[in-house]
Amino acid sequence: MSAGLPHFRYHPDPVATGSVRASADRCVCCERHRGWIYTATFYTEHDMDGPFCPWCIADGSAAERFEGDFTDCYGLDDVSMDVVHEVTRRTPGFHGWQQPHWLTHCGDAAALVGEVGHAELARHPEALAQLGDFATHLGGDAAAVLFRCTVCGSHLACADAS
């Protein structure tokens, strides 16, 4: 993770995943130029005039002020409401062709590693097995999104395609 950014338990390196990038833009929530902005999805009914900084995501102020979520709660059925709120309202989302959703394991949300191809996925056979035949089609308009269980360390994957 980049030095100085807030820590996100469920998205440990949002710069590597492309969800946060360096920028001189002003945060629409705190109105400060912090050097970093969020680049992925935010679901809200409010009109917004600019991006968020990672600090307003981490402290929950962006989700609260604009009454929105960074990730859909789909797939988070078997975790506590505290974890659902942490993932949807205080964790940067990620880019995807389909509507991104978070994976869970061992009763907790998993940590996002990022989009991977077949070679990276092959280093994690337990995740590769979850995609079955889809794994042979990775590349171009098909990708795998890799997660790591925060409890046992197992890797999980879901498919994303255009």
Side-chain angles (χ1 to χ4, degrees), residues 53-77:
C53 70
W55 292 267
C56 288
I57 296 171
D59 70 12
S61 59
E64 182 178 340
R65 178 174 176 191
F66 293 96
E67 299 173 336
D69 295 323
F70 294 97
T71 301
D72 188 3
C73 63
Y74 172 78
L76 295 171
D77 301 331

Side-chain angles (χ1 to χ4, degrees), residues 29-109:
C29 187
C30 68
E31 300 182 4
R32 294 173 63 189
H33 299 271
R34 308 280 309 251
W36 298 95
I37 59 154
Y38 174 67
T39 64
T41 57
F42 184 68
Y43 305 98
T44 184
E45 293 181 8
H46 293 274
D47 290 330
M48 295 176 23
D49 187 26
F52 298 119
C53 70
W55 292 267
C56 288
I57 296 171
D59 70 12
S61 59
E64 182 178 340
R65 178 174 176 191
F66 293 96
E67 299 173 336
D69 295 323
F70 294 97
T71 301
D72 188 3
C73 63
Y74 172 78
L76 295 171
D77 301 331
D78 60 342
V79 299
S80 72
M81 284 308 295
D82 287 343
V83 171
V84 171
H85 290 158
E86 182 74 18
V87 171
T88 61
R89 299 178 186 166
R90 296 175 57 127
T91 300
F94 61 94
H95 300 278
W97 284 300
Q98 305 298 318
Q99 184 170 347
H101 67 276
W102 227 267
L103 298 184
T104 64
H105 198 262
C106 295
D108 195 12

